[in-house]
Amino acid sequence: MHDQFSDPALARALLPHAFDKRDGAHDEAHLLRVWRNALKIQAGEGGDLRILLAATLLHDCIWVDKAAPERPLASRMAADKAREVLAALDWDGAEIDRVAHAIEAHSYSAAIPPETLEARILQDADRLDAMGFIGVARCLWLAGARGAAICHATDPAAAARPLDDAAHALDHFQTKLLGLGAGLTTATGRRLAETRAARLRAFYDGLLEELG
């Protein structure tokens, strides 16, 4: 798989550290999709590909369950591990800092503002993978893995109840997915998000219509 990235030697060195645990939404296929998104954004925005590749490959290197109270700390934990991995490869300290910040800031739950171009690109690239048809598939996979229902039996749109995306997959569209496009920070990322946001909305509205 390393030959799918712009620097196969770097990918070969980092891929063994990319995960401490995988799931169906966070695996090598996810890394490759995020990388392809990042390349599209980088082509329009610029940015250092070596920094971006290292950050992409290591951004999920620490797995924390989405329901765990430590979840907002996962990206900081991943950044700390990335620092160790890159230091062992004799990376320069300033470059390690740039990779670590991009990893810290990519996480939605961490709410860390991206302060560098590479951090903005990785954040947008990762969020694009939570949108569109692949975003629907990942949302439903994760909901099924934790035993959640597709939707509330009698109030799927949460018109008269609090949203609970831990119990109902469809609630996650309102709590997060439908708003992701508005939060992207690069012009190229926002452009790429337009089609994916429309697909998310079409799925959500179509499912509610069928449930009606």
PDB file of all heavy atoms in Angstrom, residues 29-46:
ATOM      1  N   ALA A  29      -7.877   1.933   4.418  1.00  0.00           N
ATOM      2  CA  ALA A  29      -8.694   2.537   3.360  1.00  0.00           C
ATOM      3  C   ALA A  29      -9.067   3.974   3.709  1.00  0.00           C
ATOM      4  O   ALA A  29      -9.102   4.855   2.831  1.00  0.00           O
ATOM      5  CB  ALA A  29      -9.948   1.697   3.126  1.00  0.00           C
ATOM      6  N   HIS A  30      -9.351   4.219   4.980  1.00  0.00           N
ATOM      7  CA  HIS A  30      -9.629   5.598   5.434  1.00  0.00           C
ATOM      8  C   HIS A  30      -8.404   6.478   5.230  1.00  0.00           C
ATOM      9  O   HIS A  30      -8.511   7.611   4.734  1.00  0.00           O
ATOM     10  CB  HIS A  30     -10.035   5.582   6.908  1.00  0.00           C
ATOM     11  CG  HIS A  30     -10.077   6.930   7.559  1.00  0.00           C
ATOM     12  ND1 HIS A  30     -10.977   7.919   7.204  1.00  0.00           N
ATOM     13  CD2 HIS A  30      -9.304   7.465   8.546  1.00  0.00           C
ATOM     14  CE1 HIS A  30     -10.773   8.986   7.951  1.00  0.00           C
ATOM     15  NE2 HIS A  30      -9.758   8.753   8.770  1.00  0.00           N
ATOM     16  N   LEU A  31      -7.218   5.986   5.594  1.00  0.00           N
ATOM     17  CA  LEU A  31      -6.002   6.778   5.395  1.00  0.00           C
ATOM     18  C   LEU A  31      -5.825   7.150   3.926  1.00  0.00           C
ATOM     19  O   LEU A  31      -5.469   8.289   3.606  1.00  0.00           O
ATOM     20  CB  LEU A  31      -4.776   6.000   5.864  1.00  0.00           C
ATOM     21  CG  LEU A  31      -4.597   5.770   7.357  1.00  0.00           C
ATOM     22  CD1 LEU A  31      -3.257   5.086   7.604  1.00  0.00           C
ATOM     23  CD2 LEU A  31      -4.686   7.064   8.142  1.00  0.00           C
ATOM     24  N   LEU A  32      -6.057   6.183   3.047  1.00  0.00           N
ATOM     25  CA  LEU A  32      -5.867   6.446   1.625  1.00  0.00           C
ATOM     26  C   LEU A  32      -6.889   7.452   1.112  1.00  0.00           C
ATOM     27  O   LEU A  32      -6.545   8.347   0.326  1.00  0.00           O
ATOM     28  CB  LEU A  32      -5.949   5.139   0.838  1.00  0.00           C
ATOM     29  CG  LEU A  32      -5.598   5.214  -0.644  1.00  0.00           C
ATOM     30  CD1 LEU A  32      -4.218   5.823  -0.860  1.00  0.00           C
ATOM     31  CD2 LEU A  32      -5.669   3.821  -1.268  1.00  0.00           C
ATOM     32  N   ARG A  33      -8.126   7.349   1.572  1.00  0.00           N
ATOM     33  CA  ARG A  33      -9.142   8.326   1.153  1.00  0.00           C
ATOM     34  C   ARG A  33      -8.797   9.719   1.649  1.00  0.00           C
ATOM     35  O   ARG A  33      -8.903  10.713   0.911  1.00  0.00           O
ATOM     36  CB  ARG A  33     -10.525   7.909   1.669  1.00  0.00           C
ATOM     37  CG  ARG A  33     -11.096   6.671   1.028  1.00  0.00           C
ATOM     38  CD  ARG A  33     -12.573   6.501   1.371  1.00  0.00           C
ATOM     39  NE  ARG A  33     -12.835   6.470   2.809  1.00  0.00           N
ATOM     40  CZ  ARG A  33     -12.889   5.369   3.544  1.00  0.00           C
ATOM     41  NH1 ARG A  33     -12.655   4.183   2.992  1.00  0.00           N
ATOM     42  NH2 ARG A  33     -13.175   5.431   4.842  1.00  0.00           N
ATOM     43  N   VAL A  34      -8.370   9.825   2.912  1.00  0.00           N
ATOM     44  CA  VAL A  34      -7.993  11.135   3.464  1.00  0.00           C
ATOM     45  C   VAL A  34      -6.808  11.697   2.689  1.00  0.00           C
ATOM     46  O   VAL A  34      -6.761  12.902   2.392  1.00  0.00           O
ATOM     47  CB  VAL A  34      -7.689  11.026   4.967  1.00  0.00           C
ATOM     48  CG1 VAL A  34      -7.108  12.341   5.496  1.00  0.00           C
ATOM     49  CG2 VAL A  34      -8.942  10.673   5.749  1.00  0.00           C
ATOM     50  N   TRP A  35      -5.828  10.851   2.365  1.00  0.00           N
ATOM     51  CA  TRP A  35      -4.673  11.312   1.610  1.00  0.00           C
ATOM     52  C   TRP A  35      -5.086  11.843   0.240  1.00  0.00           C
ATOM     53  O   TRP A  35      -4.603  12.889  -0.199  1.00  0.00           O
ATOM     54  CB  TRP A  35      -3.656  10.190   1.465  1.00  0.00           C
ATOM     55  CG  TRP A  35      -2.497  10.553   0.591  1.00  0.00           C
ATOM     56  CD1 TRP A  35      -2.126   9.965  -0.580  1.00  0.00           C
ATOM     57  CD2 TRP A  35      -1.543  11.612   0.811  1.00  0.00           C
ATOM     58  NE1 TRP A  35      -1.021  10.582  -1.106  1.00  0.00           N
ATOM     59  CE2 TRP A  35      -0.646  11.596  -0.265  1.00  0.00           C
ATOM     60  CE3 TRP A  35      -1.382  12.565   1.821  1.00  0.00           C
ATOM     61  CZ2 TRP A  35       0.406  12.500  -0.363  1.00  0.00           C
ATOM     62  CZ3 TRP A  35      -0.339  13.462   1.718  1.00  0.00           C
ATOM     63  CH2 TRP A  35       0.549  13.433   0.643  1.00  0.00           C
ATOM     64  N   ARG A  36      -5.973  11.138  -0.431  1.00  0.00           N
ATOM     65  CA  ARG A  36      -6.420  11.604  -1.755  1.00  0.00           C
ATOM     66  C   ARG A  36      -7.178  12.926  -1.636  1.00  0.00           C
ATOM     67  O   ARG A  36      -7.030  13.804  -2.489  1.00  0.00           O
ATOM     68  CB  ARG A  36      -7.276  10.526  -2.416  1.00  0.00           C
ATOM     69  CG  ARG A  36      -6.449   9.323  -2.875  1.00  0.00           C
ATOM     70  CD  ARG A  36      -7.308   8.164  -3.318  1.00  0.00           C
ATOM     71  NE  ARG A  36      -6.470   7.081  -3.852  1.00  0.00           N
ATOM     72  CZ  ARG A  36      -6.906   5.842  -4.069  1.00  0.00           C
ATOM     73  NH1 ARG A  36      -8.169   5.530  -3.785  1.00  0.00           N
ATOM     74  NH2 ARG A  36      -6.090   4.920  -4.556  1.00  0.00           N
ATOM     75  N   ASN A  37      -7.977  13.057  -0.586  1.00  0.00           N
ATOM     76  CA  ASN A  37      -8.626  14.351  -0.339  1.00  0.00           C
ATOM     77  C   ASN A  37      -7.581  15.436  -0.096  1.00  0.00           C
ATOM     78  O   ASN A  37      -7.694  16.560  -0.609  1.00  0.00           O
ATOM     79  CB  ASN A  37      -9.549  14.263   0.882  1.00  0.00           C
ATOM     80  CG  ASN A  37     -10.767  13.401   0.660  1.00  0.00           C
ATOM     81  OD1 ASN A  37     -11.170  13.152  -0.474  1.00  0.00           O
ATOM     82  ND2 ASN A  37     -11.361  12.927   1.745  1.00  0.00           N
ATOM     83  N   ALA A  38      -6.576  15.110   0.721  1.00  0.00           N
ATOM     84  CA  ALA A  38      -5.538  16.087   1.045  1.00  0.00           C
ATOM     85  C   ALA A  38      -4.776  16.520  -0.204  1.00  0.00           C
ATOM     86  O   ALA A  38      -4.443  17.711  -0.359  1.00  0.00           O
ATOM     87  CB  ALA A  38      -4.583  15.511   2.080  1.00  0.00           C
ATOM     88  N   LEU A  39      -4.499  15.578  -1.090  1.00  0.00           N
ATOM     89  CA  LEU A  39      -3.794  15.920  -2.326  1.00  0.00           C
ATOM     90  C   LEU A  39      -4.609  16.884  -3.183  1.00  0.00           C
ATOM     91  O   LEU A  39      -4.061  17.820  -3.777  1.00  0.00           O
ATOM     92  CB  LEU A  39      -3.489  14.659  -3.128  1.00  0.00           C
ATOM     93  CG  LEU A  39      -2.241  13.860  -2.762  1.00  0.00           C
ATOM     94  CD1 LEU A  39      -2.108  12.662  -3.702  1.00  0.00           C
ATOM     95  CD2 LEU A  39      -0.981  14.727  -2.822  1.00  0.00           C
ATOM     96  N   LYS A  40      -5.907  16.652  -3.267  1.00  0.00           N
ATOM     97  CA  LYS A  40      -6.763  17.543  -4.053  1.00  0.00           C
ATOM     98  C   LYS A  40      -6.753  18.953  -3.457  1.00  0.00           C
ATOM     99  O   LYS A  40      -6.700  19.943  -4.187  1.00  0.00           O
ATOM    100  CB  LYS A  40      -8.185  16.995  -4.096  1.00  0.00           C
ATOM    101  CG  LYS A  40      -8.345  15.713  -4.897  1.00  0.00           C
ATOM    102  CD  LYS A  40      -9.762  15.175  -4.770  1.00  0.00           C
ATOM    103  CE  LYS A  40      -9.905  13.836  -5.479  1.00  0.00           C
ATOM    104  NZ  LYS A  40     -11.264  13.256  -5.282  1.00  0.00           N
ATOM    105  N   ILE A  41      -6.812  19.031  -2.141  1.00  0.00           N
ATOM    106  CA  ILE A  41      -6.805  20.343  -1.494  1.00  0.00           C
ATOM    107  C   ILE A  41      -5.439  20.999  -1.644  1.00  0.00           C
ATOM    108  O   ILE A  41      -5.335  22.194  -1.961  1.00  0.00           O
ATOM    109  CB  ILE A  41      -7.189  20.218  -0.009  1.00  0.00           C
ATOM    110  CG1 ILE A  41      -8.594  19.637   0.128  1.00  0.00           C
ATOM    111  CG2 ILE A  41      -7.124  21.583   0.676  1.00  0.00           C
ATOM    112  CD1 ILE A  41      -8.982  19.291   1.556  1.00  0.00           C
ATOM    113  N   GLN A  42      -4.370  20.225  -1.448  1.00  0.00           N
ATOM    114  CA  GLN A  42      -3.018  20.771  -1.566  1.00  0.00           C
ATOM    115  C   GLN A  42      -2.756  21.311  -2.964  1.00  0.00           C
ATOM    116  O   GLN A  42      -2.061  22.327  -3.131  1.00  0.00           O
ATOM    117  CB  GLN A  42      -1.998  19.699  -1.195  1.00  0.00           C
ATOM    118  CG  GLN A  42      -0.573  20.195  -1.031  1.00  0.00           C
ATOM    119  CD  GLN A  42       0.212  20.235  -2.325  1.00  0.00           C
ATOM    120  OE1 GLN A  42      -0.190  19.630  -3.328  1.00  0.00           O
ATOM    121  NE2 GLN A  42       1.337  20.934  -2.303  1.00  0.00           N
ATOM    122  N   ALA A  43      -3.322  20.665  -3.976  1.00  0.00           N
ATOM    123  CA  ALA A  43      -3.128  21.132  -5.350  1.00  0.00           C
ATOM    124  C   ALA A  43      -3.700  22.527  -5.543  1.00  0.00           C
ATOM    125  O   ALA A  43      -3.195  23.307  -6.362  1.00  0.00           O
ATOM    126  CB  ALA A  43      -3.775  20.150  -6.329  1.00  0.00           C
ATOM    127  N   GLY A  44      -4.734  22.856  -4.788  1.00  0.00           N
ATOM    128  CA  GLY A  44      -5.333  24.179  -4.910  1.00  0.00           C
ATOM    129  C   GLY A  44      -4.833  25.196  -3.913  1.00  0.00           C
ATOM    130  O   GLY A  44      -4.918  26.402  -4.164  1.00  0.00           O
ATOM    131  N   GLU A  45      -4.301  24.727  -2.784  1.00  0.00           N
ATOM    132  CA  GLU A  45      -3.948  25.627  -1.694  1.00  0.00           C
ATOM    133  C   GLU A  45      -2.451  25.713  -1.427  1.00  0.00           C
ATOM    134  O   GLU A  45      -1.998  26.647  -0.774  1.00  0.00           O
ATOM    135  CB  GLU A  45      -4.641  25.162  -0.397  1.00  0.00           C
ATOM    136  CG  GLU A  45      -6.150  24.971  -0.511  1.00  0.00           C
ATOM    137  CD  GLU A  45      -6.906  26.271  -0.588  1.00  0.00           C
ATOM    138  OE1 GLU A  45      -6.393  27.283  -0.061  1.00  0.00           O
ATOM    139  OE2 GLU A  45      -8.010  26.291  -1.171  1.00  0.00           O
ATOM    140  N   GLY A  46      -1.674  24.714  -1.880  1.00  0.00           N
ATOM    141  CA  GLY A  46      -0.266  24.644  -1.525  1.00  0.00           C
ATOM    142  C   GLY A  46      -0.078  23.859  -0.239  1.00  0.00           C
ATOM    143  O   GLY A  46      -0.981  23.190   0.242  1.00  0.00           O
TER     144      GLY A  46
END
